[in-house]
Amino acid sequence: MDNALQERLHLALTAQRRAFEAQRMPSYEVRRDRLQRLLAMTRQHGEALAAAMAQDFGHRARQESLLADIFTVESGARHALKHLRGWMKPRRVATPLHFLPGRNVLMRQPLGVVGVVSPWNYPYYLAMEPAVAALAAGNRVLIKPSELTPATSELMARIVAEHFRPEEMQVITGDAEVGKAFTQLPFDHLFFTGSTAVGRHVAQAAAKNLTPVTLELGGKSPAIVDRSCDLGLTASRLAFGKLFNAGQTCVAPDYLLVPREMVEPLSQRLLAEMRRMYPRIAGNADYTSIATPRHLARLQGLLADAVQRGARVLRSHDEQPDDRRLVPALLLDVPLEATVMQEEIFGPLLPVIGYDQLDDALAHINGGDRPLALYLFGSDGAARDRVMRETHAGGVTINDCLWHLGQEEQPFGGVGASGMGSYHGEWGFRTFSKEKPLFIQSRLAGTKLFQPPYGATFERLLALLKRIA
């Protein structure tokens, strides 16, 4: 590691750690002030951030940036401000009869310095939403944003420096080498959003310092279409969920599992909905580009591999844009060994897999890694209950896509290969807190009766405890 880089990171961490040690339990007023500054920063610079994201992507729909990156951070900050006082309060916990008149209290205490490593696909939201939770919990925050969105990352670094002292919150920009060094720092908690492959390396780096981690990863999130669904509504909502941010969303539906006889009619409805939402692809301000030439080449490779293996491609538009806007495509009759069925797609390609019975769909899902999201379309309550019982996923939306991600009253996080830990709302506050149990003993406690020398009294009391405990 470069000595100058190591020194830069060490100084940033040391400054925040010293500041935390001088104020280990920030007051409600201090935390509220930090959240209000973050909210004001987001409101003030929302349009500039959307413009920076458009620059980084080549083109990104302004409305998508304002909804998915700006509004979501504002919403998270407002939710935290509304509930902060209650989250901070020590909580009385039930005390077993045999420990009375002692009492249990649970105290939530900030951890110290939190590191956040954020990705390129939602560069502001996935940096600032964890920061909201960490600041609410009373921590200091260092953020390493993606090098693939340089304009957004530099703007974040500037506006954070304008609204926060570096010992409160700081953005550290740099390339992948900076990111690697960042994850090796001895944080009190490390929060990473990105791919499963990189997440494994992050977890290994953090383990050397025994740093606890939250990993928000991805995977192949399925959408099950049940025979009881409303075909038109299902097609409309799937098209939106898949093509929002051109499919570059960690919870985008990655493939469809559809009753075999419904594959063709649903596919035609999907293509029609895609054309309704995006009458053209080339030059359409509503349709986002693929973020980098490398990502575009990868998606084109996935498509070529599927075709070579016998897949049938249905494109939504008969166009060939000369920029990085990729025409959406459905892939039918895709062999399961095709690369597009092995890797998270992260783009506007959507395999449609036919099934005969629900058993087949469930077996397919459970035969792979546990996904970050699962979607189910249908009105059959028994089928819904069975899918919920017999599958694992980080989160679920029924009869729509993506929207469970926006629920501040629910935890968001992965399971298995799609991640560990959760955040949003109170779950984020708890992630970045040490929930410290306190047992407060009474002067009148009878615990002296259990002290040595042991004898018949001890045996009688132990027998009594076994009966009442």
Side-chain angles (χ1 to χ4, degrees), residues 251-449:
V251 292
D254 200 84
Y255 64 96
L256 307 186
L257 290 164
V258 182
R260 203 169 300 279
E261 72 276 10
M262 295 173 64
V263 167
E264 286 292 342
L266 178 61
S267 296
Q268 294 306 316
R269 290 285 191 104
L270 270 168
L271 295 171
E273 285 297 319
M274 290 174 176
R275 288 189 287 267
R276 180 184 67 80
M277 293 179 190
Y278 306 98
R280 70 183 193 283
I281 296 301
N284 189 336
D286 293 339
Y287 191 67
T288 294
S289 299
I290 303 304
T292 72
R294 176 170 64 85
H295 289 88
L296 177 62
R298 175 184 168 274
L299 290 166
Q300 292 169 333
L302 292 179
L303 191 58
D305 174 76
V307 170
Q308 185 177 1
R309 295 175 187 269
R312 185 158 51 103
V313 178
L314 303 178
R315 290 179 172 84
S316 61
H317 298 71
D318 186 19
E319 298 180 38
Q320 290 184 331
D322 56 5
D323 56 13
R324 292 201 304 273
R325 290 180 177 90
L326 182 63
V327 172
L330 305 181
L331 281 66
L332 278 59
D333 306 320
V334 187
L336 296 183
E337 62 271 16
T339 310
V340 76
M341 291 304 300
Q342 302 298 317
E343 298 178 1
E344 184 178 6
I345 295 171
F346 233 68
L349 309 179
L350 185 58
V352 183
I353 310 299
Y355 71 84
D356 295 309
Q357 301 298 328
L358 185 57
D359 288 353
D360 305 323
L362 296 178
H364 179 92
I365 293 169
N366 291 329
D369 290 332
R370 292 172 173 177
L372 183 57
L374 184 145
Y375 303 108
L376 174 64
F377 289 84
S379 58
D380 185 333
R384 180 194 64 200
D385 292 345
R386 187 177 173 209
V387 172
M388 294 305 100
R389 285 195 310 267
E390 297 184 21
T391 60
H392 285 82
V396 176
T397 294
I398 305 290
N399 288 321
D400 212 332
C401 296
L402 312 183
W403 297 111
H404 66 280
L405 177 61
Q407 308 305 313
E408 290 291 333
E409 297 286 0
Q410 293 260 52
F412 177 80
V415 57
S418 61
M420 63 176 72
S422 61
Y423 71 127
H424 289 196
E426 187 172 3
W427 284 268
F429 186 94
R430 294 177 66 181
T431 287
F432 297 118
S433 299
K434 165 58 183 171
E435 294 189 307
K436 187 161 67 177
L438 312 179
F439 176 68
I440 303 172
Q441 185 61 283
S442 168
R443 180 178 177 85
L444 302 176
T447 49
K448 188 174 182 180
L449 297 173

Side-chain angles (χ1 to χ4, degrees), residues 66-204:
L66 293 178
L67 174 62
D69 278 275
I70 307 306
F71 167 76
T72 48
V73 173
E74 290 183 12
S75 177
R78 288 196 300 267
H79 182 84
L81 283 164
K82 180 179 179 181
H83 296 281
L84 180 60
R85 194 183 295 276
W87 293 346
M88 289 179 62
K89 285 182 180 178
R91 305 197 171 193
R92 288 291 297 269
V93 180
T95 306
L97 176 65
H98 51 284
F99 285 112
L100 295 175
R103 57 192 172 93
N104 282 321
V105 175
L106 193 63
M107 174 184 177
R108 291 174 171 176
Q109 199 168 15
L111 296 173
V113 181
V114 169
V116 175
V117 181
S118 58
W120 54 266
N121 59 324
Y122 293 95
Y124 189 73
Y125 168 64
L126 292 174
M128 291 301 159
E129 183 74 0
V132 165
L135 291 173
N139 299 282
R140 312 289 169 139
V141 185
L142 285 176
I143 299 171
K144 168 59 181 76
S146 174
E147 66 277 8
L148 298 180
T149 50
T152 308
S153 297
E154 291 296 338
L155 178 56
M156 276 200 294
R158 179 174 65 79
I159 65 177
V160 167
E162 290 173 358
H163 289 79
F164 292 88
R165 296 183 298 277
E167 63 270 20
E168 289 179 309
M169 182 163 71
Q170 185 179 357
V171 175
I172 296 178
T173 59
D175 59 14
E177 186 65 24
V178 176
K180 181 179 178 181
F182 188 91
T183 63
Q184 295 171 356
L185 294 172
F187 290 109
D188 297 293
H189 194 101
L190 180 61
F191 190 102
F192 170 81
T193 304
S195 71
T196 300
V198 177
R200 288 191 173 96
H201 293 294
V202 170
Q204 290 170 0

